[in-house]
Amino acid sequence: MTAELVRGQNHTLPQTRLEIRVSAGSPVVAGATLGDERGTVHGIEWIAHPGSPQLPGLEVSRQAASDHRLAVDLDALPDEVHRVTVLLALPTGVGGPVRFGSVAAPFVAVTGLDGTEIATFTLTGLDAESAVSALELYRRQGAWKVRAVGQGYADGLAEMLADQGVARAAELAGSIQEAVARGMARSVAPPPPRAPDGDRVRPGAGTASAPADREPPAPPAARTPEPLPDPATTDPATTAAGAPGATGGATVGGPISYAHPRRRSAAPPPPPPAAPPAPPGQAAPPVAGDASGWSMDERLYNQIWGMFEDLARATAAYRSAVDFAESRMEQELDRTLSDPRNRIGGAGDRAREEARAKRDELTTRAREALDRDLAQLAAESAVVEPALPAAYAGWDNPVWHAHRVPMEIPMALRIGDLHLPERPDLRIPLLVRLPLERGIWIDSGRAASEEAALMDTDQLRRLAMENAVVHAARLLAVYPTGEFSVHVIDPAGSAAGALAPLVNAGVLTGPPAAGPGGVASVLAHLTRRVDLVQMAVRAGAADSLPPDLDTGEQLLIVNDFPHGFDDRAVTQLRYLADEGPSVGVHLLMVADREDAGAYGPVLDPLWRSLLRITPVADSHLADPWVGHAWTYEPPALPPGSRVLEQVLAAVAAARRTGGR
């Protein structure tokens, strides 16, 4: 029976291998400190946080998120540790909430490895506090207990660490928040908040790593990227339906309003046909659209996010089991070999063999469970991939050959695939919500990845620009006619070859801008658009916009930054990156960060505001649940295919006929 704790109450823990699950209404930083009998933390090596997530017997999340799972093995803690304190803090410098009183009360649960709740605690009554000691696990007379604490700190993480006796607490708190900011910059934007009434039942799932009844992502949340204005307040002609997820993983806002003029259905359509019942002992076959949603596209979007989360958590469970097996083997060997009589002769050899056999048994069982989950996900992927609409589909999907410019903006856009080393052939589509909530940076530097380091610089830059063209073509193809425009800045004209498909199709707003004058003209035009739309929105006078102002979404492709940019142009670019997405102006930058090294930290906010992707495979993106490093694969056109030219020709033809 679950113990529902209140502040100060404790409960005996029946086992030593635990998970601590945190749910919050906004992304929070989760960490833990180890303390002695008096609760004193003896140094930074006794603190687990996103910048240093693993300690013996303890692992915390590598980034801020709305949901966390902390792994604890009390038997693996050092003997001098008598207390484990779980800490929560709001991330700073990312435009999110600054006090717990402005977000939903965090909920913390201590569970077994199978998810069974042992004790729970809801941290109510917080107000100005930005950090809180949520609960502590402590050892008393040889037994471990959990105590609900709920002690908040208005001065944040630094005050909380100082209260535990940590030296140079302010400096450590700053480094933790810096690590969090870096992690949020590389994180894939999380899915919308989950619906309280829509459960997606995964056929045949029932393992600890992939629970049978897992809630799916909810219908899309209102688009509220902090700290930018809410596009829901803008004129419908200026922005499309809202989208969830803030920059770097910050997701806020409530359910979308289905009265939006772009949505025509007054009620959700019927669900997809149910799969036939499976024979006893066998999993039911997967079904495309097996998720909640008001349309098939929305159900497929939510299903892909469900697969993404399943793969992340199943892999995390497997890796945790392997780490546990290795840790237990080392502990057993240490205990056995601590007796000098066992260090030589047959006793020591037998102890080593037995410890390794136990380790191998545990890892084999963990791998078998993972393989079952992976097989199920692979079968689901094989069903889902052919059913995807053009906006979600790969370029090799036949749906592109019959593609027509749509009448409505889709929910999301595929910008590549993600996979993990445990099953490289199981690819998860990387979907970003539309309208885009943050710009995209295609890193053309040789230091971007191991594969990039082996390539010629000019070849890598050409490949990066070709990727930018592919992304721009997809955006043009999935937006209704006249609602999306593409501008290009190519100061030295070095990308003429890569830009040829866009130029030849006539789908750009004008020729690629070259030279300082061209750079200044395009930036001035888009900066003016952002200013005018923001003023109109704030004044509630969207109908007062100049008649010649294009209120459709705008994409600016920037090649070879910062070459050709003076200080004013750099400032304008930063302004567009910060303020543009909320009013429909988006950046797609092709740049090598090392080329901009002369600007120093001035450009750090720019890089962090953009979603970094690469023109070659690279393991740099993190999921929003457990923070795995996922390998990103950029979109690839089928060899010899002319699908890109065909799609752009269809876009150009639709413009000539007004979309008819």
Side-chain angles (χ1 to χ4, degrees):
M1 182 176 180
T2 303
E4 298 180 0
L5 306 180
V6 297
R7 277 185 177 84
Q9 189 176 2
N10 60 42
H11 182 72
T12 301
L13 295 172
Q15 58 200 78
T16 57
R17 289 204 69 206
L18 307 165
E19 275 192 352
I20 299 174
R21 304 186 180 189
V22 178
S23 298
S26 176
V28 297
V29 182
T33 60
L34 306 181
D36 59 17
E37 290 180 325
R38 295 177 296 178
T40 301
V41 180
H42 284 250
I44 60 173
E45 65 275 7
W46 279 31
I47 304 174
H49 57 82
S52 178
Q54 289 183 315
L55 295 176
L58 178 63
E59 183 173 3
V60 303
S61 302
R62 291 168 170 78
Q63 62 193 49
S66 299
D67 297 286
H68 293 271
R69 292 191 184 187
L70 284 63
V72 181
D73 183 358
L74 298 173
D75 289 339
L77 295 173
D79 293 338
E80 57 270 29
V81 172
H82 289 259
R83 187 177 303 179
V84 179
T85 304
V86 176
L87 315 176
L88 304 178
L90 293 171
T92 60
V94 296
V98 297
R99 47 194 291 271
F100 274 110
S102 63
V103 301
F107 174 81
V108 184
V110 180
T111 76
L113 296 185
D114 60 354
T116 302
E117 291 184 346
I118 299 170
T120 64
F121 175 41
T122 302
L123 285 77
T124 57
L126 298 175
D127 186 12
E129 298 88 347
S130 60
V132 60
S133 294
L135 54 78
E136 63 182 16
L137 313 179
Y138 64 98
R139 181 159 45 191
R140 182 69 53 82
Q141 296 178 347
W144 283 93
K145 298 183 178 183
V146 56
R147 176 187 291 122
V149 180
Q151 174 64 53
Y153 297 86
D155 289 336
L157 189 58
E159 181 186 8
M160 181 166 55
L161 294 173
D163 191 43
Q164 297 191 36
V166 178
R168 304 171 68 179
E171 181 179 338
L172 176 59
S175 67
I176 293 173
Q177 293 287 10
E178 176 67 19
V180 170
R182 289 196 302 269
M184 294 182 74
R186 73 184 185 93
S187 174
V188 176
R194 291 174 176 174
D197 57 351
D199 287 344
R200 170 179 178 257
V201 179
R202 297 194 39 79
T207 66
S209 58
D213 296 314
R214 177 180 47 71
E215 293 181 350
R223 179 189 179 204
T224 53
E226 296 182 23
L228 305 177
D230 185 351
T233 64
T234 62
D235 186 83
T238 305
T239 57
T247 299
T251 303
V252 290
I256 193 171
S257 169
Y258 287 97
H260 192 285
R262 292 197 183 280
R263 291 197 179 268
R264 301 173 180 172
S265 56
Q282 296 184 21
V287 177
D290 178 24
S292 61
W294 285 62
S295 67
M296 188 60 174
D297 287 2
E298 191 167 342
R299 289 197 291 265
L300 287 167
Y301 171 85
N302 289 338
Q303 185 172 16
I304 289 172
W305 271 103
M307 294 164 59
F308 190 8
E309 182 176 3
D310 279 353
L311 182 53
R313 296 202 184 280
T315 304
Y318 166 70
R319 293 179 181 179
S320 177
V322 171
D323 289 344
F324 171 72
E326 294 286 348
S327 174
R328 279 297 172 90
M329 182 185 72
E330 293 173 1
Q331 292 177 48
E332 290 177 3
L333 289 176
D334 288 343
R335 284 195 296 267
T336 300
L337 300 180
S338 62
D339 186 346
R341 293 172 297 181
N342 293 334
R343 295 177 186 172
I344 58 176
D349 293 339
R350 285 193 299 273
R352 292 186 184 91
E353 291 176 1
E354 290 174 1
R356 293 191 182 104
K358 291 180 182 178
R359 186 271 314 274
D360 293 343
E361 180 185 2
L362 288 173
T363 56
T364 298
R365 285 162 47 194
R367 184 70 211 196
E368 290 172 350
L370 176 66
D371 287 342
R372 288 194 297 270
D373 291 338
L374 294 179
Q376 178 183 321
L377 286 168
E380 187 170 9
S381 177
V383 172
V384 169
E385 191 71 42
L388 295 179
Y392 305 174
W395 286 107
D396 57 350
N397 193 309
V399 70
W400 283 108
H401 297 292
H403 178 67
R404 296 292 182 270
V405 175
M407 299 296 292
E408 298 182 357
I409 299 173
M411 286 185 58
L413 185 84
R414 185 174 187 160
I415 62 170
D417 295 330
L418 298 172
H419 63 84
L420 290 172
E422 282 78 4
R423 182 74 184 265
D425 63 319
L426 179 54
R427 306 293 178 91
I428 302 295
L430 175 55
L431 303 180
V432 294
R433 291 299 294 263
L434 293 179
L436 296 172
E437 295 177 354
R438 61 192 296 199
I440 296 175
W441 163 32
I442 302 179
D443 192 345
S444 60
R446 294 186 65 204
S449 67
E450 294 181 4
E451 186 174 344
L454 302 175
M455 299 180 68
D456 175 77
T457 299
D458 292 339
Q459 177 189 9
L460 189 61
R461 290 182 176 178
R462 183 177 65 255
L463 187 59
M465 197 61 195
E466 289 172 353
N467 268 264
V469 169
V470 168
H471 291 304
R474 183 181 286 258
L475 282 163
L476 286 165
V478 302
Y479 265 81
T481 301
E483 295 195 22
F484 197 86
S485 302
V486 178
H487 310 257
V488 176
I489 290 179
D490 184 21
S494 59
L499 290 168
L502 297 177
V503 174
N504 295 341
V507 294
L508 297 178
T509 56
V519 172
S521 176
V522 172
L523 290 177
H525 169 74
L526 293 176
T527 300
R528 172 179 176 268
R529 183 195 181 281
V530 171
D531 289 339
L532 290 175
V533 174
Q534 281 189 339
M535 287 188 292
V537 169
R538 290 166 183 163
D543 56 351
S544 66
L545 289 169
D548 62 338
L549 186 75
D550 182 1
T551 57
E553 301 283 313
Q554 312 283 312
L555 178 71
L556 173 59
I557 302 176
V558 179
N559 181 44
D560 213 16
F561 176 81
H563 301 300
F565 283 73
D566 56 21
D567 290 345
R568 174 178 172 79
V570 169
T571 300
Q572 288 176 315
L573 197 67
R574 285 187 55 187
Y575 175 73
L576 293 177
D578 292 339
E579 303 295 335
S582 65
V583 290
V585 176
H586 314 285
L587 290 184
L588 177 52
M589 290 184 56
V590 177
D592 179 357
R593 186 169 182 172
E594 291 186 359
D595 289 346
Y599 288 94
V602 173
L603 289 180
D604 285 352
L606 172 63
W607 305 122
R608 289 178 182 172
S609 69
L610 305 174
L611 174 63
R612 174 179 173 264
I613 57 178
T614 51
V616 294
D618 182 43
S619 302
H620 68 281
L621 291 176
D623 65 79
W625 301 286
V626 294
H628 292 315
W630 292 71
T631 297
Y632 167 78
E633 294 276 358
L637 297 171
S641 171
R642 296 189 56 82
V643 62
L644 184 66
E645 289 79 4
Q646 293 170 4
V647 167
L648 290 175
V651 172
R655 288 184 175 184
R656 290 192 297 269
T657 61
R660 295 188 296 273

